[in-house]
Amino acid sequence: MLRQIFAAALVAVPVLVSAQSADRVLTLETTAKVLNVFPETRTVVLDNQDTGETEFIAAGPEVINFDQIEVGDTVKAVYTVGVAARMALPGEVDTVTELEAAAAEGEKPGALAGTAVTLVLEFVAFDAASSIATVKTLDGVEEMIEVMSDAGRDFAAELSAGDKVALTFTEGVAVGIVEE
């Protein structure tokens, strides 16, 4: 089930990467065992297997199939954040894409949420010594951005003043009961 949710997220919130691009992604994963379930308060007690801490999680009405959560189940959470820079497409504009999905009725509980924000910027300059790129927003405001990866610095070094660049920032989380 969780694998299906991840596949849907990859289709719905793409980060475009090509030869004229650079990206940086950070993914954090954690697992926990269900120690107890309190249906009357929709509370789940978890043993975080990474930290050893006991956590009490209140499950709101959006948690479908709450009654299927059982002591001993394994809960997995995956958080991903990323940024990708690429040449903007002709006529491309700023966009925001949001995605939410939940397990179908009768499946083990699971859900995901994600956002992708693409900003189209005009490249002004890149200072290789400080790794600072100067860009201009569509409304003419200049911003300075620290370029933190080698791929990003290589990408910025190839740009010319006036080039249109699309920066896509993505963030998503998926949580669900998984089979061991």
Side-chain angles (χ1 to χ4, degrees):
M1 205 310 280
L2 199 56
R3 186 171 289 140
Q4 293 167 334
I5 289 177
F6 285 131
L10 292 173
V11 170
V13 186
V15 176
L16 301 175
V17 180
S18 68
Q20 287 189 310
S21 67
D23 70 333
R24 185 174 180 161
V25 177
L26 171 67
T27 300
L28 304 173
E29 295 185 23
T30 191
T31 57
K33 284 284 188 193
V34 176
L35 297 178
N36 212 336
V37 180
F38 299 101
E40 61 281 355
T41 60
R42 294 181 62 89
T43 301
V44 180
V45 182
L46 300 174
D47 174 27
N48 185 317
Q49 295 179 324
D50 297 320
T51 66
E53 295 179 13
T54 300
E55 301 175 19
F56 291 77
I57 307 296
E62 65 279 357
V63 177
I64 298 173
N65 305 326
F66 178 84
D67 59 334
Q68 291 189 31
I69 301 173
E70 299 175 350
V71 171
D73 281 346
T74 298
V75 178
K76 183 173 185 177
V78 180
Y79 172 76
T80 301
V81 62
V83 61
R86 61 178 170 78
M87 298 302 294
L89 301 171
E92 186 172 4
V93 295
D94 296 351
T95 59
V96 175
T97 303
E98 294 182 347
L99 170 72
E100 290 184 3
E105 196 70 39
E107 291 185 352
K108 285 286 190 182
L112 72 81
T115 303
V117 177
T118 298
L119 303 176
V120 178
L121 306 167
E122 180 181 330
F123 180 77
V124 176
F126 177 63
D127 179 359
S130 65
S131 294
I132 299 293
T134 303
V135 296
K136 192 182 301 184
T137 63
L138 292 178
D139 58 1
V141 176
E142 281 197 5
E143 300 281 343
M144 298 174 81
I145 300 171
E146 182 179 3
V147 182
M148 300 181 72
S149 70
D150 290 340
R153 287 186 284 275
D154 292 345
F155 175 74
E158 295 295 320
L159 296 172
S160 299
D163 283 347
K164 298 291 186 196
V165 176
L167 290 183
T168 301
F169 303 90
T170 58
E171 181 177 44
V173 64
V175 179
I177 303 293
V178 295
E179 300 292 325
E180 289 197 69

